[in-house]
């Protein structure tokens, strides 16, 4: 007798098709960090990241909502992404700030998501691919979502990009540059009359030191050599953390610990408020090995009367005293700032005072911006608005002065010895010295003989300048890239 074996056929579930997302980032370094957090969350949810928007199912555009030109760039990016045929999702500051209004005026976007959607972004993109409608984010003043008392904020249940990760690092690097931004705080408690950022970024919240240090170690493992500490207001760091972390002096305690992370050659602090910059912090930046002698001071103006209308503090005398204090401790320190000209009611005398301050301060880099109204700000309702053509003329006038002054400051550095972090090799090799911040402060063009790799730390002598850029003759490699061995393009002759 033949016995036939019974065979049970079970249906094997078809694995879901690969879901591909492209991330496009506009705006500041804080947005770049947010995009890397979103990249980490998406890959954790099974999404594949691609740089090719045309091959993506969804293009996530991390928008900027700071000023009118940035908002226009964000809209243009969203429209361009829609032309690829992929579904387009708007996130970031502009999406948070305008929400449903943006969705209504931009039907090309399949969804407009706010910061509260970030923890579940993978699920929301699943909804987008499946054609399920997602209600557009409804904006609110995020300052009202956290307790008024700073020390009560750490226990609040609120989604804040870059916060609350615990021991994990919810981040994936989107490039292999040797410098990376590291967020130490979010939001701002200041009420500058021209600025809308606190309304959509929220009240000030510091990240826990342990969380920052864990991310710093992770970044070092990814080959990062310089940490660029970012926030809306770094001088407020720690005011909400309590005495066990140093309170207002928390950043002074944190900097040496970050500088000691294996693999990290340099730590750089950004965005310091002059009125909040304590002598102890100046000393910590200027006197801690591994921390760049770099002071990113948010002066905005020098006339005390203009600054009061801006709801800010200080003036020419106190600002020059701060500059002198910095240079007494670190004569070679880099000091940069941004200024706004054409603020409502700005007189010729007030503008001249700003020019006097800039001439006396001899800053390394100054960004000059013309005033423009921002939705919902106090300055939008101020009297004394200047004609846009007059504002533009003042921008040109102060910009021309700044160009001369910063070129002279660069010339003053001829003969100095500098440590340069190499960021570009090939026919032209370049990097940045301690006084030069990423992307905005010029660079060092390297000449001489040697083999260099991106990520090397090299010593050299400044032999010439071109505007704010320096020409540096290579002397030696003092720290090799991650492997500790300098390899790569030869530096021969002048770039």
């Amino acid at each position: 007798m033949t016995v036939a074996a019974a065979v049970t056929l079970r249906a094997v579930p078809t694995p879901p098709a690969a879901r591909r997302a492209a991330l496009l980032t506009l705006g500041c370094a804080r947005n770049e960090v947010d995009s890397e957090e979103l990249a980490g969350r998406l890959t954790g949810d099974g999404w594949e990241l691609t740089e090719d928007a045309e091959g993506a199912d969804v293009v996530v555009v991390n928008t900027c909502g700071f000023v009118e030109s940035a908002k226009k760039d964000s809209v243009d990016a969203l429209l361009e992404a829609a032309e690829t045929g992929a579904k387009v999702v708007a996130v970031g500051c502009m999406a948070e700030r305008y929400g449903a209004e943006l969705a209504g005026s931009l039907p090309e976007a399949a969804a407009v998501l706010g910061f509260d959607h970030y923890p579940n972004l993978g699920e929301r993109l699943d909804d987008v691919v499946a054609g399920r409608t997602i209600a557009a984010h409804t904006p609110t003043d995020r300052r009202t979502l956290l307790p008024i008392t700073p020390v009560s904020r750490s226990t609040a249940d609120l989604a804040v990009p870059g916060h609350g990760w615990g021991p994990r690092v919810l981040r994936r690097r989107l490039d292999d540059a040797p410098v990376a931004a590291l967020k130490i705080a979010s939001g701002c408690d200041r009420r500058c009359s021209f600025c809308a950022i606190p309304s959509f970024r929220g009240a000030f919240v510091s990240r826990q030191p342990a969380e920052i240090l864990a991310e710093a170690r992770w970044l070092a493992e990814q080959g990062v050599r310089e940490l660029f500490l970012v926030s809306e207001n770094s001088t407020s760091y720690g005011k909400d953390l309590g005495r066990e972390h140093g309170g207002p002096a928390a950043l002074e305690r944190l900097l040496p610990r970050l500088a000691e992370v294996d693999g990290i050659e340099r730590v750089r602090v950004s965005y310091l408020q002059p009125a909040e910059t304590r002598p102890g912090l100046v000393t910590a930046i200027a006197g801690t090995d591994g921390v760049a002698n770099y002071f990113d001071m948010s002066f905005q103006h020098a006339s005390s009367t203009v600054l009061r209308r801006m709801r800010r503090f200080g003036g020419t005398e106190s600002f020059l005293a701060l500059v002198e204090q910095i240079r007494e401790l670190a004569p070679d320190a880099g000091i940069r700032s941004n200024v706004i000209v054409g603020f409502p009611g700005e007189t010729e005398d007030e503008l001249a005072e700003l020019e006097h301050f800039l001439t006396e301060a001899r800053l390394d880099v100054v960004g000059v911006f013309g005033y423009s109204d921002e939705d919902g700000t106090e300055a939008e309702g101020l009297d004394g608005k200047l004609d846009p053509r007059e504002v533009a003329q003042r921008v040109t006038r102060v910009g021309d002065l700044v160009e001369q002054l910063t070129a002279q400051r660069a010339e003053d550095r001829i003969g100095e010895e500098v440590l340069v972090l190499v960021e570009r090799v090939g026919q032209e090799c370049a990097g940045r010295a301690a006084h030069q911040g990423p992307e905005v402060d010029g660079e060092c063009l390297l000449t001489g003989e040697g083999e260099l790799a991106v990520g090397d730390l090299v010593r050299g002598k400044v032999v010439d300048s071109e505007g704010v850029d320096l020409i540096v003759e290579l002397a030696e490699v003092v720290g090799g890239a991650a492997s500790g061995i300098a390899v790569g393009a030869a530096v021969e002759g002048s770039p």
Side-chain angles (χ1 to χ4, degrees), residues 65-134:
F66 181 39
V67 293
E68 199 61 38
S69 59
K71 288 181 277 189
K72 181 182 183 302
D73 289 343
S74 294
V75 170
D76 289 344
L78 288 162
L79 293 173
E80 185 176 345
E83 293 176 358
T84 66
K87 301 288 184 67
V88 177
V89 172
V91 299
C93 292
M94 189 176 182
E96 176 67 36
R97 185 177 181 183
Y98 293 103
E101 181 183 347
L102 177 62
S105 62
L106 199 70
E108 291 84 356
V112 176
L113 307 179
F115 297 146
D116 292 337
H117 289 104
Y118 282 17
N120 306 111
L121 183 65
E123 295 177 20
R124 299 292 75 78
L125 297 195
D126 287 339
D127 291 336
V128 168
V129 171
R132 294 187 286 269
T133 300
I134 304 173

Side-chain angles (χ1 to χ4, degrees), residues 394-481:
R394 295 188 180 195
V395 169
T396 300
R397 169 178 159 181
V398 176
D400 288 345
L401 174 64
V402 161
E403 186 175 355
Q404 296 174 33
L405 293 171
T406 54
Q408 290 170 7
R409 176 65 177 152
E411 287 178 9
D412 291 343
R413 292 190 179 275
I414 295 175
E416 283 187 7
E417 185 180 88
V418 291
L419 289 175
V420 178
L421 179 67
V422 178
E423 298 183 1
R424 192 170 72 250
V425 297
Q427 289 187 337
E428 183 179 74
C429 296
R432 289 175 301 103
H435 72 280
Q436 297 169 315
E439 298 182 1
V440 293
D441 292 349
E443 61 183 3
C444 294
L445 304 174
L446 295 165
T447 69
E449 298 289 336
E451 296 284 333
L452 297 181
V454 170
D456 282 344
L457 190 68
V458 303
R459 190 188 313 279
K461 182 178 180 181
V462 180
V463 295
D464 203 351
S465 64
E466 295 178 356
V468 296
D469 294 335
L470 303 180
I471 311 301
V472 175
E473 184 175 2
L474 176 65
E476 62 175 332
V477 176
V478 297

